[in-house]
């Protein structure tokens, strides 16, 4: 437990100089006090009963050169995992899926590809996908791995709204998760994206064997960026058999729901104007736990049955939960 007192903050406090001791002190607050503070901050900056809804599609599956220990799409784990490589989807197929997502209430369409970094041939298709989704009036997001400056410029010219590149965990714990790219490699890509004027989407994964201190360090890193990420996905590990982390943790106790909700609340307090997104792991969360996440400041989620290669809460279940809680999805923009 932290011995420091939790800082007393105005709901309008916007900082980029958080100390680890301050973040840990927030984590250590009594649960009700922490959620109350986070809810106050949330209401000061967002409509409290409105949630931004995104849909994520895997536009290219498997064969990734990275060795992320949680990921079913890594080429390093293919022999142990029953997953087939799939080439980059055709543009028309992706746009059809985007239209269906829009009809189901999604306001943002996210496209993920299992790459260390994309090549120029594939970039042409991705650019066409971004342009097509934008023409529907939806926000666009892609996650393609590391990017060079020229690739960032191509995506900016196509009208990309968000680029997702998660830090995954703390700098200290990072080597336990992936060794084929460094923590600073991730930060470099985020810097290029931000400098180009594209919104940053960056968060992490909880439940990979890290400590509460690591979770605090992850959120401190995000909150102390020159500009806070516009969207902060908080994922709960979905252990995949055949991956190093999945095999290590499959039989262990899942991350405590209250610990997960604490992370949501701390993220909301540290980054008051960012969207805090419930991402992977919602399939296993109870309605009550998700409701507490919304109370603690989560105001974005992924809609649909799949998040890349893992299950997600079904669309019908989400609609039923929204009805129970009186939550409304943010409106989809009308196409021009």
């Amino acid at each position: 437990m932290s011995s420091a007192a939790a800082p007393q903050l105005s709901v309008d406090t916007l900082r980029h100089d958080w100390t680890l001791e301050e973040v840990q002190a927030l984590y250590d607050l009594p649960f009700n006090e922490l959620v109350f503070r986070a809810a106050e901050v949330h209401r000061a900056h967002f409509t409290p009963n409105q949630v931004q809804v995104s849909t994520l599609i895997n536009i290219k599956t498997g064969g990734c050169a990275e060795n992320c220990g949680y990921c079913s799409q890594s080429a390093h784990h293919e022999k142990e995992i029953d997953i087939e490589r799939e080439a980059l989807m055709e543009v028309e197929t992706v746009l059809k899926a985007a239209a269906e997502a829009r009809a189901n209430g999604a306001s943002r369409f996210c496209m993920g590809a299992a790459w260390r970094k994309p090549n120029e041939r594939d970039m042409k298709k991705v650019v066409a996908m971004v342009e097509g989704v934008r023409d529907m009036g939806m926000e666009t997001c892609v996650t393609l791995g590391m990017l060079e400056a020229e690739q960032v410029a191509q995506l900016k010219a196509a009208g990309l709204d968000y680029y997702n590149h998660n830090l995954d965990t703390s700098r200290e714990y990072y080597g336990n998760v992936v060794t084929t790219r460094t923590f600073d490699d991730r930060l470099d890509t985020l810097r290029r994206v931000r400098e180009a004027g594209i919104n940053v989407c960056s968060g992490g994964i909880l439940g990979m064997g890290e400590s509460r201190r690591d979770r605090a360090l992850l959120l401190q890193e995000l909150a102390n960026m020159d500009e806070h990420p516009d969207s902060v996905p908080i994922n709960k590990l979905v252990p995949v058999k055949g991956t190093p982390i999945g095999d290590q943790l499959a039989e262990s106790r899942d991350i405590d729901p209250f610990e997960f909700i604490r992370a949501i609340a701390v993220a909301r307090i540290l980054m008051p104007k960012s969207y805090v997104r419930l991402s992977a792991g919602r399939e296993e969360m109870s309605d009550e736990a998700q409701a507490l996440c919304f109370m603690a400041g989560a105001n974005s989620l992924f809609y649909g049955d799949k998040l890349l290669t893992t299950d997600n809460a079904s669309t019908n279940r989400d609609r039923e939960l929204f009805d129970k809680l009186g939550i409304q999805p943010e409106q989809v923009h009308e196409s021009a």
Side-chain angles (χ1 to χ4, degrees):
M1 299 287 285
S2 171
S3 59
Q8 295 296 323
L9 305 167
S10 161
V11 293
D12 295 319
T13 299
L14 195 65
R15 288 178 52 187
H16 305 269
D17 60 350
W18 292 93
T19 67
L20 176 60
E21 291 72 24
E22 288 176 318
V23 179
Q24 288 179 309
L26 288 172
Y27 255 105
D28 292 342
L29 283 169
F31 183 79
N32 286 347
E33 175 67 17
L34 175 59
V35 171
F36 178 75
R37 290 197 191 187
E40 285 189 309
V41 172
H42 184 200
R43 288 171 176 268
H45 299 281
F46 292 96
T47 303
N49 295 307
Q50 192 172 83
V51 171
Q52 186 276 322
V53 175
S54 300
T55 292
L56 175 62
I57 184 173
N58 210 24
I59 60 174
K60 183 262 180 186
T61 303
C64 182
E66 305 287 8
N67 68 348
C68 303
Y70 55 82
C71 185
S72 62
Q73 301 196 69
S74 170
H76 295 258
H77 319 318
E78 283 184 340
K79 291 182 179 179
E80 290 77 29
I81 300 173
D82 183 19
I83 186 172
E84 294 185 10
R85 292 191 185 191
E86 296 178 7
L88 183 63
M89 285 184 177
E90 294 301 322
V91 175
E92 293 77 12
T93 304
V94 173
L95 296 185
K96 180 180 178 182
E100 292 174 356
R102 187 181 191 279
N104 283 326
S107 60
R108 185 180 305 165
F109 193 70
C110 305
M111 296 160 274
W115 285 317
R116 176 176 170 80
K117 61 181 178 181
N119 60 42
E120 286 311 303
R121 180 188 68 249
D122 291 331
M123 278 295 295
K124 291 179 181 179
K125 277 190 175 182
V126 173
V127 164
M129 293 172 189
V130 170
E131 292 173 340
V133 175
R134 285 272 296 177
D135 287 344
M136 296 179 191
M138 299 178 75
E139 292 181 329
T140 54
C141 177
V142 296
T143 179
L144 311 172
M146 293 188 292
L147 295 179
E148 300 298 334
E150 175 57 32
Q151 294 172 321
V152 173
Q154 289 177 268
L155 293 170
K156 174 63 176 177
L160 181 69
D161 295 295
Y162 288 84
Y163 192 79
N164 168 255
H165 201 55
N166 290 333
L167 297 183
D168 284 352
T169 189
S170 71
R171 182 184 289 273
E172 292 183 4
Y173 196 71
Y174 186 83
N176 296 292
V177 177
V178 55
T179 60
T180 49
R181 91 175 104 179
T182 69
F183 196 80
D184 286 321
D185 286 336
R186 292 180 183 267
L187 292 174
D188 286 344
T189 290
L190 291 174
R191 176 182 50 77
R192 294 186 187 105
V193 167
R194 178 67 82 186
E195 288 176 351
I198 298 172
N199 295 314
V200 165
C201 174
S202 187
I205 306 171
L206 309 187
M208 297 191 292
E210 79 286 345
S211 65
R212 178 182 285 187
R213 181 175 187 275
D214 288 307
R215 295 169 198 143
L217 282 166
L218 167 65
L219 295 178
Q220 180 197 19
E221 186 85 42
L222 294 166
N224 284 352
M225 290 179 173
D226 290 341
E227 292 184 58
H228 294 159
D230 304 274
S231 184
V232 182
I234 305 295
N235 298 274
K236 184 168 76 72
L237 177 72
V238 179
V240 177
K241 186 177 181 180
T243 62
I245 291 178
D247 289 345
Q248 175 188 347
L249 298 176
E251 302 302 323
S252 67
R253 183 172 63 87
D254 193 12
I255 184 172
D256 180 81
F258 292 105
E259 183 69 14
F260 185 87
I261 297 161
R262 283 181 181 275
I264 295 286
V266 173
R268 168 53 62 218
I269 292 169
L270 299 184
M271 295 166 278
K273 296 184 179 182
S274 302
Y275 282 88
V276 177
R277 176 180 298 142
L278 288 180
S279 296
R282 283 202 309 120
E283 172 69 16
E284 300 170 356
M285 293 178 66
S286 69
D287 286 354
E288 293 81 0
Q290 291 189 63
L292 282 171
C293 286
F294 294 133
M295 188 179 297
N299 63 336
S300 177
L301 54 75
F302 277 119
Y303 219 28
D305 298 332
K306 282 284 185 182
L307 284 186
L308 298 181
T309 60
T310 59
D311 290 336
N312 188 38
S314 70
T315 302
N316 286 340
R317 178 188 169 192
D318 286 335
R319 288 173 176 164
E320 291 173 0
L321 180 59
F322 283 3
D323 286 344
K324 290 177 185 177
L325 301 179
I327 287 176
Q328 297 293 325
E330 282 191 354
Q331 294 301 304
V332 178
H333 301 299
E334 291 299 325
S335 57

